[in-house]
Every structure is written in C-alpha cells, then in structure tokens.
Coordinates of all heavy atoms in Angstrom, one line a residue:
M1 N 17.6 -7.1 20.2 CA 16.2 -6.9 20.6 C 15.9 -7.4 22.1 O 16.4 -8.5 22.3 CB 15.2 -7.5 19.6 CG 13.8 -7.1 19.8 SD 12.8 -7.7 18.4 CE 11.3 -6.9 18.8
S2 N 15.2 -6.6 22.9 CA 15.0 -7.1 24.2 C 13.7 -7.9 24.3 O 12.9 -7.8 23.4 CB 14.9 -5.9 25.2 OG 13.9 -5.0 24.8
Q3 N 13.6 -8.6 25.4 CA 12.4 -9.4 25.6 C 11.1 -8.6 25.6 O 11.1 -7.5 26.2 CB 12.5 -10.2 26.9 CG 11.3 -11.0 27.3 CD 11.6 -11.9 28.5 OE1 12.2 -13.0 28.4 NE2 11.1 -11.4 29.7
Q4 N 10.1 -9.0 25.0 CA 8.8 -8.3 25.0 C 7.9 -8.9 26.0 O 8.1 -10.0 26.4 CB 8.2 -8.4 23.6 CG 9.1 -7.9 22.5 CD 8.9 -6.4 22.2 OE1 7.9 -5.8 22.6 NE2 9.8 -5.9 21.5
K5 N 6.8 -8.1 26.3 CA 5.8 -8.6 27.3 C 4.5 -8.4 26.5 O 4.2 -7.4 25.9 CB 5.9 -7.8 28.5 CG 5.3 -8.4 29.7 CD 5.6 -7.6 31.0 CE 4.7 -6.4 31.1 NZ 4.9 -5.7 32.4
C6 N 3.6 -9.5 26.6 CA 2.3 -9.4 26.1 C 1.5 -8.2 26.7 O 1.4 -8.2 28.0 CB 1.6 -10.7 26.2 SG -0.1 -10.7 25.6
S7 N 0.9 -7.4 25.9 CA 0.1 -6.3 26.3 C -1.1 -6.8 27.1 O -1.8 -6.0 27.9 CB -0.2 -5.3 25.3 OG 0.9 -4.9 24.6
R8 N -1.6 -7.9 26.7 CA -2.9 -8.4 27.3 C -2.7 -9.2 28.5 O -3.4 -8.9 29.5 CB -3.6 -9.2 26.2 CG -5.0 -9.7 26.6 CD -5.7 -10.3 25.4 NE -7.1 -10.7 25.8 CZ -7.3 -11.9 26.5 NH1 -6.3 -12.7 26.7 NH2 -8.5 -12.2 26.9
C9 N -1.9 -10.2 28.5 CA -1.7 -11.1 29.7 C -0.5 -10.9 30.5 O -0.3 -11.5 31.5 CB -1.8 -12.6 29.2 SG -0.3 -13.1 28.3
A10 N 0.3 -9.9 30.0 CA 1.6 -9.6 30.7 C 2.6 -10.6 30.7 O 3.6 -10.5 31.4 CB 1.3 -9.0 32.1
K11 N 2.4 -11.7 30.0 CA 3.4 -12.8 30.0 C 4.6 -12.4 29.2 O 4.5 -11.8 28.2 CB 2.8 -14.1 29.3 CG 3.2 -15.4 30.0 CD 2.6 -16.5 29.2 CE 1.2 -16.9 29.7 NZ 0.6 -17.9 28.9
P12 N 5.8 -12.7 29.7 CA 7.0 -12.3 29.0 C 7.1 -13.2 27.7 O 6.8 -14.4 27.7 CB 8.2 -12.6 29.8 CG 7.6 -13.0 31.2 CD 6.2 -13.3 31.0
I13 N 7.6 -12.6 26.6 CA 7.7 -13.3 25.3 C 9.2 -13.3 25.1 O 9.8 -12.3 24.8 CB 7.0 -12.6 24.2 CG1 5.5 -12.5 24.5 CG2 7.2 -13.4 22.9 CD1 4.7 -11.6 23.5
P14 N 9.8 -14.6 25.3 CA 11.3 -14.7 25.2 C 11.8 -14.2 23.8 O 11.1 -14.4 22.8 CB 11.6 -16.2 25.4 CG 10.4 -16.7 26.2 CD 9.2 -15.8 25.7
V15 N 13.0 -13.7 23.7 CA 13.6 -13.3 22.5 C 13.6 -14.5 21.5 O 13.9 -15.6 21.8 CB 15.0 -12.8 22.6 CG1 15.8 -12.4 21.3 CG2 15.0 -11.6 23.6
G16 N 13.2 -14.2 20.2 CA 13.2 -15.3 19.2 C 11.8 -16.0 19.1 O 11.6 -16.7 18.1
N17 N 10.9 -15.8 20.1 CA 9.6 -16.4 20.0 C 8.7 -15.6 19.2 O 8.9 -14.4 19.0 CB 9.0 -16.5 21.4 CG 9.5 -17.8 22.2 OD1 10.7 -18.1 22.0 ND2 8.7 -18.4 23.0
L18 N 7.7 -16.3 18.7 CA 6.6 -15.5 17.9 C 5.8 -14.6 18.7 O 5.4 -14.9 19.8 CB 5.7 -16.6 17.2 CG 4.5 -16.1 16.3 CD1 5.1 -15.4 15.1 CD2 3.7 -17.3 16.0
L19 N 5.7 -13.4 18.1 CA 4.8 -12.4 18.8 C 4.0 -11.7 17.7 O 4.4 -11.8 16.5 CB 5.6 -11.4 19.7 CG 6.7 -10.6 19.0 CD1 6.2 -9.4 18.3 CD2 7.8 -10.3 20.0
Y20 N 3.0 -11.0 18.1 CA 2.2 -10.2 17.1 C 2.1 -8.8 17.5 O 2.0 -8.5 18.7 CB 0.8 -10.9 17.1 CG 0.7 -12.2 16.5 CD1 0.9 -13.4 17.3 CD2 0.5 -12.5 15.2 CE1 0.9 -14.6 16.8 CE2 0.6 -13.7 14.6 CZ 0.7 -14.8 15.5 OH 0.8 -16.1 15.0
R21 N 2.0 -8.0 16.5 CA 1.8 -6.5 16.8 C 0.3 -6.2 16.4 O -0.2 -6.7 15.4 CB 2.6 -5.7 15.8 CG 4.1 -5.9 16.0 CD 4.6 -4.9 17.0 NE 6.1 -5.3 17.3 CZ 6.7 -5.0 18.4 NH1 6.0 -4.3 19.4 NH2 7.9 -5.3 18.6
L22 N -0.3 -5.5 17.3 CA -1.7 -5.1 17.1 C -1.7 -3.5 17.1 O -1.3 -2.9 18.1 CB -2.6 -5.6 18.3 CG -4.0 -5.1 18.3 CD1 -4.8 -5.5 17.0 CD2 -4.7 -5.6 19.5
T23 N -2.1 -3.0 16.0 CA -2.2 -1.6 15.9 C -3.7 -1.2 15.6 O -4.3 -1.7 14.7 CB -1.4 -1.0 14.7 OG1 -0.1 -1.4 15.0 CG2 -1.5 0.5 14.5
I24 N -4.3 -0.4 16.5 CA -5.7 0.0 16.3 C -5.6 1.5 16.0 O -5.1 2.3 16.8 CB -6.4 -0.3 17.6 CG1 -6.4 -1.8 17.9 CG2 -7.9 0.2 17.4 CD1 -7.0 -2.1 19.3
K25 N -6.3 1.8 14.9 CA -6.4 3.3 14.6 C -7.9 3.6 14.6 O -8.7 3.0 14.0 CB -5.9 3.5 13.1 CG -4.4 3.3 13.1 CD -3.9 3.6 11.6 CE -2.5 3.3 11.5 NZ -1.9 3.5 10.1
V26 N -8.2 4.7 15.3 CA -9.5 5.1 15.4 C -9.5 6.6 14.9 O -8.8 7.4 15.5 CB -10.1 5.1 16.9 CG1 -11.5 5.6 17.0 CG2 -9.9 3.8 17.5
Y27 N -10.3 6.8 13.8 CA -10.3 8.2 13.3 C -11.6 8.6 12.9 O -12.5 7.8 12.4 CB -9.2 8.3 12.1 CG -9.4 7.3 11.0 CD1 -10.1 7.6 9.9 CD2 -8.8 6.0 11.1 CE1 -10.3 6.6 8.9 CE2 -8.9 5.1 10.1 CZ -9.7 5.4 9.0 OH -9.8 4.5 8.0
A28 N -11.8 9.9 12.9 CA -13.1 10.5 12.5 C -13.3 10.3 10.9 O -12.3 10.4 10.2 CB -13.1 12.0 12.8
D29 N -14.5 10.2 10.6 CA -14.8 10.0 9.2 C -16.0 10.9 8.9 O -16.7 11.4 9.8 CB -15.2 8.5 8.8 CG -15.2 8.2 7.4 OD1 -14.8 9.1 6.6 OD2 -15.6 7.1 7.0
F30 N -16.2 11.2 7.7 CA -17.2 12.1 7.3 C -18.0 11.6 6.1 O -17.4 11.2 5.1 CB -16.7 13.5 6.9 CG -17.7 14.6 6.5 CD1 -18.8 14.9 7.3 CD2 -17.5 15.2 5.3 CE1 -19.6 15.8 6.9 CE2 -18.5 16.1 4.9 CZ -19.5 16.5 5.7
D31 N -19.3 11.6 6.2 CA -20.1 11.0 5.1 C -20.5 12.0 3.9 O -21.2 11.6 3.0 CB -21.3 10.2 5.6 CG -22.3 11.2 6.3 OD1 -22.1 12.4 6.2 OD2 -23.3 10.7 6.9
G32 N -20.1 13.2 4.1 CA -20.3 14.2 3.1 C -21.7 14.9 3.3 O -21.9 15.9 2.6
V33 N -22.4 14.5 4.3 CA -23.7 15.2 4.5 C -23.5 16.2 5.8 O -23.0 15.8 6.8 CB -24.7 14.2 4.8 CG1 -26.1 14.9 5.2 CG2 -24.9 13.2 3.7
I34 N -23.9 17.4 5.5 CA -23.9 18.4 6.6 C -25.3 18.5 7.1 O -26.3 18.7 6.5 CB -23.4 19.8 6.1 CG1 -22.0 19.7 5.7 CG2 -23.5 20.8 7.3 CD1 -21.5 20.9 5.0
N35 N -25.4 18.3 8.5 CA -26.7 18.3 9.2 C -27.3 19.7 9.1 O -26.7 20.6 9.4 CB -26.5 17.8 10.6 CG -27.8 17.4 11.2 OD1 -28.9 17.9 10.9 ND2 -27.7 16.5 12.2
I36 N -28.6 19.8 8.7 CA -29.3 21.0 8.6 C -29.3 21.8 9.9 O -29.2 23.0 9.9 CB -30.8 20.8 8.1 CG1 -30.7 20.1 6.7 CG2 -31.6 22.1 8.1 CD1 -30.2 21.0 5.5
K37 N -29.4 21.1 11.0 CA -29.5 21.7 12.3 C -28.2 22.5 12.5 O -28.3 23.6 13.3 CB -29.6 20.6 13.4 CG -31.0 20.2 13.6 CD -31.2 19.4 14.9 CE -30.8 18.0 14.6 NZ -30.9 17.1 15.8
A38 N -27.1 22.2 11.9 CA -25.9 23.0 12.1 C -26.0 24.4 11.6 O -25.3 25.3 12.0 CB -24.7 22.3 11.4
Q39 N -26.9 24.7 10.7 CA -27.1 26.0 10.1 C -27.7 26.9 11.2 O -27.5 28.1 11.0 CB -28.0 26.0 8.9 CG -27.3 25.3 7.7 CD -28.2 25.3 6.5 OE1 -29.4 25.7 6.5 NE2 -27.7 24.8 5.4
N40 N -28.3 26.4 12.2 CA -28.9 27.3 13.2 C -28.0 27.7 14.2 O -28.2 28.6 15.0 CB -30.1 26.6 13.9 CG -31.2 26.4 12.9 OD1 -31.4 27.2 12.0 ND2 -32.0 25.3 13.1
M41 N -26.8 27.0 14.3 CA -25.9 27.5 15.3 C -24.9 28.6 14.8 O -24.8 28.8 13.6 CB -25.0 26.3 15.7 CG -24.0 25.8 14.7 SD -22.9 24.5 15.3 CE -23.9 23.1 15.6
D42 N -24.4 29.3 15.8 CA -23.5 30.4 15.4 C -22.2 29.8 15.1 O -21.4 29.5 16.1 CB -23.4 31.4 16.6 CG -22.5 32.6 16.3 OD1 -21.8 32.6 15.3 OD2 -22.7 33.6 17.1
L43 N -21.8 29.7 13.9 CA -20.6 28.9 13.5 C -19.3 29.6 14.0 O -18.4 28.9 14.4 CB -20.6 28.7 12.0 CG -21.6 27.8 11.4 CD1 -21.5 27.7 9.9 CD2 -21.4 26.4 12.0
K44 N -19.3 31.0 14.0 CA -18.1 31.7 14.5 C -18.0 31.4 15.9 O -16.8 31.2 16.4 CB -18.4 33.2 14.2 CG -17.1 34.0 14.4 CD -17.3 35.4 14.0 CE -16.0 36.2 14.2 NZ -16.1 37.6 13.9
K45 N -19.1 31.4 16.8 CA -19.0 31.1 18.1 C -18.4 29.7 18.3 O -17.6 29.4 19.2 CB -20.3 31.3 18.7 CG -20.4 31.8 20.2 CD -21.7 32.2 20.6 CE -22.2 31.7 21.9 NZ -23.5 32.1 22.2
E46 N -19.0 28.8 17.6 CA -18.6 27.4 17.7 C -17.1 27.2 17.4 O -16.3 26.5 18.0 CB -19.4 26.5 16.8 CG -20.8 26.3 17.2 CD -20.9 25.6 18.6 OE1 -20.2 24.6 18.8 OE2 -21.8 26.0 19.4
F47 N -16.6 27.9 16.4 CA -15.3 27.8 15.9 C -14.3 28.4 17.0 O -13.3 27.8 17.3 CB -15.0 28.6 14.6 CG -13.6 28.5 14.1 CD1 -13.2 27.3 13.6 CD2 -12.8 29.6 14.1 CE1 -11.9 27.2 13.1 CE2 -11.6 29.5 13.6 CZ -11.0 28.4 13.1
E48 N -14.8 29.5 17.7 CA -14.0 30.1 18.7 C -13.9 29.2 19.9 O -12.8 29.0 20.6 CB -14.6 31.5 19.2 CG -14.4 32.5 18.1 CD -12.9 32.9 17.8 OE1 -12.1 32.9 18.7 OE2 -12.6 33.0 16.6
K49 N -14.9 28.4 20.2 CA -15.0 27.5 21.3 C -14.1 26.4 21.0 O -13.2 26.0 21.9 CB -16.5 27.0 21.4 CG -16.7 26.3 22.8 CD -18.2 26.0 23.0 CE -18.7 24.8 22.3 NZ -20.1 24.5 22.4
I50 N -14.0 25.9 19.8 CA -13.1 24.7 19.5 C -11.7 25.2 19.6 O -10.8 24.4 20.0 CB -13.5 24.2 18.0 CG1 -14.9 23.5 18.2 CG2 -12.4 23.2 17.5 CD1 -15.5 23.1 16.8
K51 N -11.4 26.4 19.1 CA -10.1 26.9 19.1 C -9.5 27.0 20.5 O -8.3 27.0 20.7 CB -10.0 28.3 18.5 CG -9.7 28.2 17.0 CD -9.6 29.4 16.2 CE -9.2 30.7 16.9 NZ -9.2 31.9 16.1
S52 N -10.4 27.1 21.5 CA -10.0 27.3 22.9 C -9.6 25.9 23.6 O -9.0 25.8 24.6 CB -11.0 28.0 23.7 OG -12.1 27.1 23.9
Y53 N -10.0 24.9 22.9 CA -9.7 23.5 23.4 C -8.2 23.2 23.3 O -7.6 23.6 22.3 CB -10.5 22.4 22.7 CG -12.0 22.4 22.9 CD1 -12.8 21.8 22.0 CD2 -12.5 23.1 24.0 CE1 -14.2 21.9 22.1 CE2 -14.0 23.1 24.1 CZ -14.7 22.5 23.2 OH -16.1 22.5 23.4
P54 N -7.6 22.4 24.2 CA -6.2 22.0 24.0 C -6.0 21.2 22.7 O -6.9 20.4 22.4 CB -6.0 21.1 25.2 CG -7.0 21.4 26.2 CD -8.3 21.9 25.4
E55 N -4.9 21.4 22.1 CA -4.7 20.8 20.8 C -4.7 19.3 20.9 O -5.3 18.6 20.0 CB -3.3 21.2 20.2 CG -3.2 21.0 18.8 CD -1.9 21.7 18.2 OE1 -1.7 22.9 18.6 OE2 -1.2 20.9 17.6
E56 N -4.1 18.7 22.0 CA -4.2 17.2 22.2 C -5.5 16.7 22.2 O -5.8 15.6 21.7 CB -3.4 16.9 23.4 CG -2.1 17.5 23.6 CD -2.1 18.9 24.2 OE1 -2.8 19.0 25.3 OE2 -1.6 19.8 23.6
L57 N -6.4 17.4 22.8 CA -7.8 17.0 23.0 C -8.5 16.9 21.6 O -9.2 15.9 21.2 CB -8.6 17.9 23.9 CG -9.9 17.4 24.4 CD1 -9.8 16.3 25.3 CD2 -10.7 18.5 25.0
I58 N -8.2 17.9 20.8 CA -8.9 18.0 19.4 C -8.3 16.8 18.6 O -9.0 16.1 17.9 CB -8.6 19.3 18.8 CG1 -9.3 20.4 19.5 CG2 -9.1 19.3 17.3 CD1 -9.0 21.8 19.2
E59 N -6.9 16.6 18.7 CA -6.3 15.6 17.9 C -6.9 14.2 18.3 O -7.1 13.4 17.5 CB -4.8 15.6 18.1 CG -4.2 16.7 17.4 CD -2.6 16.8 17.6 OE1 -2.1 15.8 18.2 OE2 -2.0 17.8 17.2
E60 N -7.1 14.0 19.6 CA -7.6 12.7 20.1 C -9.0 12.5 19.6 O -9.4 11.3 19.4 CB -7.6 12.6 21.6 CG -6.2 12.2 22.1 CD -6.2 11.7 23.6 OE1 -7.3 11.4 24.0 OE2 -5.2 11.6 24.1
E61 N -9.8 13.6 19.4 CA -11.1 13.5 18.9 C -11.1 13.0 17.5 O -12.0 12.4 17.0 CB -11.8 14.9 19.0 CG -13.0 15.1 19.7 CD -13.7 14.0 20.4 OE1 -13.4 13.8 21.5 OE2 -14.7 13.5 19.8
V62 N -10.1 13.4 16.8 CA -10.0 13.1 15.3 C -9.2 11.8 15.0 O -9.6 11.1 14.1 CB -9.3 14.3 14.6 CG1 -9.2 14.0 13.1 CG2 -10.2 15.5 14.8
F63 N -8.1 11.5 15.8 CA -7.3 10.4 15.4 C -6.7 9.9 16.7 O -6.1 10.6 17.5 CB -6.2 10.8 14.5 CG -5.4 9.6 14.1 CD1 -5.7 8.8 13.1 CD2 -4.1 9.4 14.7 CE1 -4.9 7.7 12.7 CE2 -3.3 8.4 14.4 CZ -3.7 7.5 13.4
K64 N -6.8 8.5 16.9 CA -6.2 7.9 18.0 C -5.6 6.6 17.6 O -6.3 5.8 16.9 CB -7.2 7.7 19.2 CG -6.7 7.1 20.4 CD -6.1 8.2 21.3 CE -5.7 7.5 22.6 NZ -4.6 8.2 23.3
E65 N -4.4 6.3 18.0 CA -3.7 5.1 17.6 C -3.2 4.4 18.9 O -2.7 4.9 19.8 CB -2.6 5.4 16.7 CG -2.0 4.1 16.0 CD -1.0 4.4 14.9 OE1 -1.3 5.3 14.1 OE2 0.1 3.8 14.9
F66 N -3.4 3.0 18.9 CA -2.9 2.2 20.0 C -2.0 1.1 19.3 O -2.3 0.6 18.3 CB -4.1 1.4 20.6 CG -5.2 2.4 21.2 CD1 -6.2 2.7 20.4 CD2 -5.1 2.8 22.4 CE1 -7.2 3.6 20.9 CE2 -6.1 3.6 23.0 CZ -7.2 3.9 22.2
D67 N -0.9 0.8 20.0 CA 0.0 -0.2 19.6 C 0.2 -1.2 20.7 O 0.5 -0.8 21.9 CB 1.4 0.4 19.3 CG 1.3 1.1 17.9 OD1 1.0 0.4 16.9 OD2 1.6 2.2 17.8
F68 N 0.0 -2.4 20.4 CA 0.2 -3.5 21.4 C 1.0 -4.7 20.8 O 1.1 -4.9 19.7 CB -1.2 -4.1 21.8 CG -2.2 -3.1 22.3 CD1 -3.2 -2.6 21.6 CD2 -2.1 -2.6 23.6 CE1 -4.1 -1.7 22.1 CE2 -2.9 -1.7 24.1 CZ -4.0 -1.2 23.4
V69 N 1.6 -5.4 21.8 CA 2.3 -6.7 21.5 C 1.5 -7.8 22.1 O 1.0 -7.7 23.2 CB 3.7 -6.7 22.1 CG1 4.4 -8.0 21.9 CG2 4.6 -5.6 21.5
L70 N 1.2 -8.8 21.3 CA 0.4 -9.9 21.8 C 1.2 -11.3 21.6 O 1.9 -11.5 20.6 CB -0.9 -10.0 21.0 CG -1.9 -8.9 21.1 CD1 -3.1 -9.2 20.2 CD2 -2.3 -8.7 22.6
C71 N 1.0 -12.1 22.6 CA 1.5 -13.5 22.6 C 0.6 -14.2 21.6 O -0.5 -13.8 21.3 CB 1.7 -14.1 23.9 SG 0.0 -14.5 24.7
P72 N 1.0 -15.4 21.0 CA 0.1 -16.1 20.1 C -1.3 -16.4 20.6 O -2.3 -16.3 20.0 CB 0.9 -17.4 19.9 CG 2.4 -17.0 20.0 CD 2.3 -16.0 21.1
R73 N -1.3 -16.8 22.0 CA -2.6 -17.2 22.5 C -3.5 -16.0 22.6 O -4.7 -16.1 22.2 CB -2.4 -17.7 23.9 CG -3.6 -18.1 24.7 CD -3.5 -19.2 25.6 NE -4.8 -19.6 26.2 CZ -5.7 -20.3 25.6 NH1 -5.5 -20.9 24.4 NH2 -6.8 -20.6 26.2
C74 N -3.0 -14.8 23.1 CA -3.8 -13.6 23.2 C -4.2 -13.1 21.8 O -5.3 -12.5 21.6 CB -3.1 -12.5 23.9 SG -3.0 -12.9 25.7
K75 N -3.4 -13.4 20.8 CA -3.6 -13.0 19.4 C -4.9 -13.7 18.9 O -5.8 -13.1 18.3 CB -2.5 -13.2 18.5 CG -2.8 -13.0 17.0 CD -3.0 -14.3 16.3 CE -3.1 -14.2 14.8 NZ -3.6 -15.5 14.2
E76 N -4.9 -15.1 19.3 CA -6.1 -15.9 18.9 C -7.4 -15.4 19.6 O -8.4 -15.3 18.9 CB -5.8 -17.4 19.2 CG -4.8 -18.0 18.4 CD -5.2 -18.0 16.9 OE1 -6.3 -18.3 16.6 OE2 -4.2 -17.9 16.1
I77 N -7.3 -15.1 20.9 CA -8.4 -14.6 21.6 C -8.8 -13.3 21.1 O -10.1 -13.1 20.9 CB -8.1 -14.5 23.2 CG1 -7.8 -15.9 23.7 CG2 -9.1 -13.8 23.9 CD1 -7.2 -15.9 25.1
Y78 N -8.0 -12.4 20.8 CA -8.3 -11.1 20.3 C -9.0 -11.2 18.9 O -10.1 -10.6 18.6 CB -7.1 -10.1 20.1 CG -7.5 -8.9 19.5 CD1 -8.1 -7.9 20.2 CD2 -7.3 -8.6 18.1 CE1 -8.4 -6.7 19.6 CE2 -7.7 -7.5 17.5 CZ -8.3 -6.4 18.3 OH -8.7 -5.3 17.7
C79 N -8.4 -12.0 18.0 CA -9.0 -12.2 16.7 C -10.3 -12.8 16.6 O -11.1 -12.6 15.7 CB -8.0 -12.9 15.7 SG -6.5 -11.9 15.4
A80 N -10.6 -13.6 17.6 CA -12.0 -14.4 17.7 C -13.1 -13.3 17.9 O -14.3 -13.6 17.6 CB -11.9 -15.3 18.8
N81 N -12.7 -12.2 18.6 CA -13.8 -11.3 18.9 C -13.2 -9.8 19.1 O -13.2 -9.3 20.3 CB -14.6 -11.7 20.1 CG -15.8 -10.9 20.5 OD1 -16.1 -10.0 19.7 ND2 -16.5 -11.2 21.5
P82 N -12.7 -9.2 18.1 CA -12.0 -8.0 18.2 C -12.7 -6.8 18.8 O -12.2 -5.9 19.4 CB -11.5 -7.6 16.8 CG -12.2 -8.5 15.9 CD -12.7 -9.7 16.7
L83 N -14.1 -6.8 18.6 CA -14.9 -5.7 19.2 C -15.5 -6.1 20.5 O -16.3 -5.3 21.0 CB -16.0 -5.4 18.2 CG -15.5 -4.7 16.9 CD1 -16.7 -4.4 16.0 CD2 -14.7 -3.5 17.1
H84 N -15.1 -7.2 21.1 CA -15.5 -7.6 22.4 C -17.0 -7.7 22.5 O -17.7 -7.2 23.4 CB -14.9 -6.7 23.4 CG -14.7 -7.3 24.7 ND1 -13.9 -8.4 25.0 CD2 -15.4 -7.1 25.9 CE1 -14.0 -8.7 26.2 NE2 -14.9 -8.0 26.8
L85 N -17.7 -8.2 21.4 CA -19.1 -8.2 21.4 C -19.6 -9.4 22.3 O -18.9 -10.4 22.5 CB -19.6 -8.6 19.9 CG -19.2 -7.5 18.9 CD1 -19.6 -7.9 17.5 CD2 -19.9 -6.2 19.2
P86 N -20.8 -9.3 22.9 CA -21.3 -10.4 23.7 C -21.5 -11.6 22.9 O -22.0 -11.5 21.8 CB -22.6 -9.8 24.2 CG -23.0 -8.7 23.4 CD -21.8 -8.2 22.7
L87 N -21.1 -12.7 23.4 CA -21.2 -14.0 22.7 C -22.3 -14.8 23.4 O -22.2 -15.1 24.6 CB -19.9 -14.8 22.8 CG -18.7 -14.1 22.2 CD1 -17.4 -14.8 22.5 CD2 -18.8 -13.9 20.7
D88 N -23.5 -15.0 22.7 CA -24.5 -15.6 23.3 C -24.3 -17.2 23.4 O -24.1 -17.8 22.4 CB -25.9 -15.4 22.6 CG -26.2 -13.9 22.6 OD1 -25.9 -13.2 23.7 OD2 -26.8 -13.3 21.6
N89 N -24.3 -17.7 24.6 CA -24.2 -19.1 24.8 C -23.0 -19.8 24.2 O -23.0 -20.9 23.8 CB -25.5 -19.9 24.2 CG -26.7 -19.3 24.9 OD1 -26.7 -19.1 26.1 ND2 -27.7 -19.2 24.0
V90 N -21.9 -19.0 24.0 CA -20.7 -19.5 23.5 C -19.6 -19.4 24.7 O -19.4 -18.4 25.3 CB -20.1 -18.8 22.3 CG1 -18.8 -19.2 21.9 CG2 -21.1 -18.8 21.2
A91 N -19.0 -20.6 25.0 CA -18.0 -20.6 26.0 C -16.7 -20.7 25.4 O -16.4 -21.5 24.5 CB -18.2 -21.9 26.9
I92 N -15.8 -19.8 25.8 CA -14.5 -19.8 25.3 C -13.5 -20.2 26.4 O -13.5 -19.6 27.5 CB -14.1 -18.4 24.8 CG1 -14.9 -18.0 23.5 CG2 -12.6 -18.3 24.4 CD1 -14.6 -16.6 23.0
D93 N -12.7 -21.2 26.1 CA -11.7 -21.6 27.1 C -10.5 -20.8 27.1 O -9.8 -20.8 26.1 CB -11.3 -23.1 26.8 CG -10.3 -23.6 27.8 OD1 -10.2 -23.1 28.9 OD2 -9.5 -24.6 27.4
T94 N -10.3 -20.0 28.1 CA -9.1 -19.2 28.2 C -8.0 -19.6 29.1 O -7.1 -18.9 29.5 CB -9.6 -17.7 28.6 OG1 -10.3 -17.7 29.8 CG2 -10.5 -17.1 27.6
D95 N -8.2 -20.8 29.7 CA -7.2 -21.4 30.6 C -6.0 -21.7 29.8 O -6.1 -22.1 28.6 CB -7.7 -22.7 31.3 CG -8.9 -22.3 32.3 OD1 -9.0 -21.2 32.6 OD2 -9.6 -23.2 32.6
D96 N -4.9 -21.8 30.4 CA -3.6 -22.2 29.7 C -3.4 -23.7 29.8 O -3.9 -24.4 30.5 CB -2.4 -21.5 30.4 CG -2.3 -20.1 30.0 OD1 -3.0 -19.7 29.2 OD2 -1.5 -19.4 30.6
Ligands
ZN1 ZN1 -0.8 -12.8 26.0

C-alpha cells in the first residue's frame, strides 16, 4: 500500500499510520406525495426534455458519492461539525 494524503489538509499519512475513510452519499429521495401542480404540466414534453439531458447530469441529480481520506485530526474536525453549520460563539482550535 502506498502512502496516502489527507483529502482535507493534504498532509501525507505515512504507511502504517491511522487514517479514516469518509464516504458521502447524496441521493434523491421521494416522500410518496405527488405535487398537484405537476398535473398542469405537459408530462410528455417534460419527459422529452429530461431525455435530452446528458446521462451523467441526470445521474448526478439522483446520486452523487464522494470518497475522502482523512488524517486523525481532520477526522475529529469533520465529525465535530459534518454539515459545516455556523457555530455561534464557539471557538475551535485548529492549530497543530
Ligand atoms: Zn488532515
């Protein structure tokens, strides 16, 4: 196995050292409710429009996966706030 590099801080992670894999999957979900407004649209026209889009674009709209390697420090930072939400009056020390 070759040396890995942290996807976040770019620090090399020597062979044999602890590293973390981060996989993020973003996919479309459906709550089972069809919006009434959709009945007013020309569904055949909409379908033809969607068929003309590049396949990769449609796939990305439905499913997207990211794979990262994290060093232990970046794993802690990521896990503390995975959605990168604003932290009110909270200071996080990110120095090494
Ligand atoms: Zn890192």
Side-chain angles (χ1 to χ4, degrees):
M1 188 170 188
S2 61
Q3 179 173 276
Q4 304 271 341
K5 201 167 77 172
C6 177
S7 303
R8 187 175 176 275
C9 71
K11 220 185 275 177
I13 303 170
V15 175
N17 279 35
L18 180 63
L19 57 85
Y20 293 89
R21 297 270 172 205
L22 170 63
T23 302
I24 300 173
K25 293 180 182 178
V26 183
Y27 54 95
D29 197 6
F30 178 58
D31 63 6
V33 177
I34 296 173
N35 196 333
I36 297 295
K37 279 193 273 181
Q39 290 180 354
N40 293 332
M41 69 170 70
D42 184 345
L43 291 178
K44 192 174 178 179
K45 210 165 137 185
E46 289 297 317
F47 184 67
E48 290 302 318
K49 196 168 83 182
I50 290 168
K51 272 182 23 184
S52 71
Y53 293 160
E55 201 172 308
E56 309 84 55
L57 192 71
I58 295 170
E59 282 176 12
E60 277 197 18
E61 235 1 84
V62 175
F63 182 83
K64 182 84 177 155
E65 187 171 317
F66 302 89
D67 283 302
F68 301 104
V69 171
L70 295 178
C71 69
R73 178 152 184 81
C74 287
K75 174 256 184 190
E76 290 300 320
I77 292 168
Y78 176 80
C79 288
N81 190 0
L83 292 181
H84 207 66
L85 298 173
L87 303 171
D88 297 328
N89 304 318
V90 176
I92 295 178
D93 176 25
T94 56
D95 295 339
D96 284 351

